[in-house]
Amino acid sequence: MELDFGPAVRDFRDELRDWLAEHLVGEFAEHKGVGGPTDGAAWEVRLAWDRELSAGNWLGVGWPKEYGGRGLGLVEEIVFEYEYARANAPYRATCGALDLLGPMLLAMGSEEQKKRFLPPILAVEELWGQGFSEPGAGSDLASVRTRAELDGEEWVIDGQKVWMSFGDHADWLYVLARTDPDSQRHKGLTMLLVPTDQPGVDIRPIRNLAGQDEFAEVFLSGARTSADLVVGEVGGGWRTAMTTLGIERGTTLLPLQLGYEREADALIELARERGALDDPMLRRRILDAWISVRIMRTTNMRTVAELIAGRTPGAQATTAKLYASTRHQQLGHLAMELAGPAGQIVGEDYGLDTRQRSFLLSLAETIYGGSSEIQRNIIGEQVLGLPKDPRP
Amino acid sequence: MDLTFSEEQDELRKVVRAFLARHSDEAAVRRLAADPHGLDTVVWRRMATELGLQGLAIPEEYGGSGFGYVDLGIVFEEAGRALLCAPYFATVALAAEALLRCDDERARADLLPGITSGATVATLALTEENGRWDETGIGLTAGDDNRLTGVKTYVPDGHLADLFLVAARTASGISLFAVEADAPGLTRTLLPTLDQTRKQARVEFRDTPARLLGTEGTAWPALRRTLATASVLLAAEQVGGAAAALDTAVSYARIRVQYGRPIGSFQGVKHKCADMLTEIESARSAAYGGLWALDAGDETQTAIAAALAQAFCSEAFTKVAGDSIQVHGGIGFTWEHPAHLYLKRAKSSEVLLGTPAYHRELLAARLGI
Ligand SMILES: Cc1cc2nc3c(=O)[nH]c(=O)nc-3n(C[C@H](O)[C@H](O)[C@H](O)COP(=O)(O)OP(=O)(O)OC[C@H]3O[C@@H](n4cnc5c(N)ncnc54)[C@H](O)[C@@H]3O)c2cc1C
């Protein structure tokens, strides 16, 4: 099954294919398939690869030209993601800013903010961290306690953020903070852009279960940012945050899931080597793994086709994350089982191979971007119209 | 190939849904399920003459409308949602497809117009006592003079079919025959089925004269393609059935109060419903993937997508239908509640064209696993 968008897009696709064939070589080619939204492996190489992409003007394909993008449409963006995934290029180190902050600014930022912040994202000059979660506010994001107060021309911010992906690389943070001290829940929150290069910001890496420093906690004590670096309205931060989460739960999963197909193929290869295809129980699970990655792809295609046709995507756009994250974990378990005892041995300094890393990191997919339980609430309430969970 | 529905297709869905809401409501389903004949011939005729449903994907030269499989899939999805009690699957997904795929232009010209006009109820008689859907399962024989002897069973709607497409073994291999229901030596018996909404029959042939379709001994590839197509259409039907089972569960979870709250506000119930929807949307992708492959006309991709669709959608429908009973609690376990009708349809559909395990093996073979 292939997407075909006609001759104009085919030219774009061919140009991209050629460019990737020419540039995805040497060290970059050695790092094919490396990384993911929670995987900091080969960071420096991937950053260099992002700069290579930037030099080729391939970042921000759908962003307006005035901010450094290509000014093309949704179709080209989607084609880019598919071709990129097909080439198995390294997962973009700057994905956070490209996939979340950028679209958030494009949707809700002021003209000055777009001019100031978008070009450096595309030039891979400034890296960003997402400061939503707190020790006391994860799934229940409306209980954010980090405070920000206006002091003349600046916001002064105090609080703690946690689980920030690639936080220790961030030059800037976008922080959801409470700007009205008397406010409750989702009222009185504001989205602030905060530079990390200042004494009030203390970023400490947190080691994840794979042994990597991939996320971080951030202590904000008297951190300062300019009064005009509010995205959306003062007090309207909830709406801004939800816009971002809508983006996170939607398109960013698309290329990732195409990578799972590769894992499924590798799994079948491994099973063949091990003679496991003759075991009826394993065989069944292997086929189910193949079936689920194929279903993920078709589900993506449905959503993409609807987006391109200008239709509101159906329920599958909401169920896709729950399905994909759950099935990907099963695939990881199966791969580890097929690897057998040898799969339990790691390299020096807890060095993990692709399979081990992919398995361990898949455990995050049912947590970040809204846990599976929260996804089920969203599906139940927003898609099926069931009564809401009790809320304070 | 278009991967999203057009406005015309949305309209088709609306029209079919409205028609079935009127003519295949719960009362009609129960009436026909309980009736040994089980077909409202007036509705059947109107399906053909007013909506053109029997001939929707049959080329215009045979009296059909020449639409694609995505369009036909929409009708099957809606038929599944309404638990339509009519030989629609047997006639359209099995018999018409077998005719379209066999290499016999004369037979197509002779037999398809009756199907599109609603005059002919047809079915495919393939399975025998062994219940197998593969080539080696076929034991019924045809002699040199094209006379059939043997037994076919589990024949969908075989009790009321006017026309049988019969897979039989000849000296040179598997061949396809057409037999009218009133042919000499043909006897049929309605089988009492767990799922009363789709009936089955045992058909016995004793030296029954038959019309050979196409070249003798070469029918299996065409039959295999027919079964792949039917697998996809059945998957679409299963998706519709599952969606209806979820709909009733959700409506109930909204209004049924326990512990002073609607049960749908409890996560144990809400999350079950969310999982049901996730299963259905995934099944939908499996079925639509098959429909796209059919319209694209790629045989290998169709075979893969069809096996995948049956392996997945069969289990999804059964799971969702069972969960729907669970959400309904005690009332869902009664004869009076429709939940069991869906469970039984799910169970019968699961084996109608071969079990999920069988389809996984077909898939494995196609993938070279
Ligand atoms: C790898 C990774 C990267 C991340 N990156 C970032 C980032 O860059 N920026 C950022 O801000 N955050 C990030 N997060 C944080 C992530 O968004 C939160 O971890 C997630 O929202 C869950 O919050 P929590 O960890 O506080 O768990 P909790 O909310 O405490 O949840 C614990 C358990 O309780 C369940 N639960 C909670 N509430 C309910 C409920 N109402 N109903 C049913 N079950 C419930 C959850 O599903 C979960 O199983 C990241 C997380 C991970 C794992």
Side-chain angles (χ1 to χ4, degrees), chain A residues 12 20 34 38 53 61 73 89 108 110 117 143 155 166 168-169 175 182-183 250 279 315-316 330 334 340 348 373 378:
Chain A
F12 170 81
L20 284 168
V34 171
T38 71
L53 284 165
V61 163
M108 315 211 42
S110 68
F117 292 110
S143 60
W155 293 99
F166 311 125
D168 52 338
H169 301 286
V175 172
D182 300 325
S183 66
D279 176 329
Q316 86 282 354
Q330 285 172 9
L334 182 55
E348 258 174 64
E373 287 71 28
I378 291 171

Side-chain angles (χ1 to χ4, degrees), chain A residues 9 42 74-75 91 94 96 131 139 147 167 197 233 235 249 271 286 308 317 350 374 379:
Chain A
V9 177
L74 176 68
V75 178
Y91 199 88
T94 48
S139 300
R147 283 177 294 111
D197 186 15
E233 306 280 309
R249 286 164 190 166
I286 290 163
I308 289 168
Y350 209 70
I374 298 304
I379 295 165

Side-chain angles (χ1 to χ4, degrees), chain A residues 37-38 129-135 137-140 162-165 214-215 364 367-374 377 389, chain B residues 267 271:
Chain A
T38 71
Q130 182 192 63
F132 287 10
S133 304
E134 297 184 6
S139 300
D140 183 14
V162 75
W163 316 132
M164 187 184 289
S165 293
E214 164 276 318
F215 50 28
I367 300 173
Y368 69 68
S371 70
S372 287
E373 287 71 28
I374 298 304
N377 280 351
D389 263 33
Chain B
Q267 287 192 351
H271 287 192

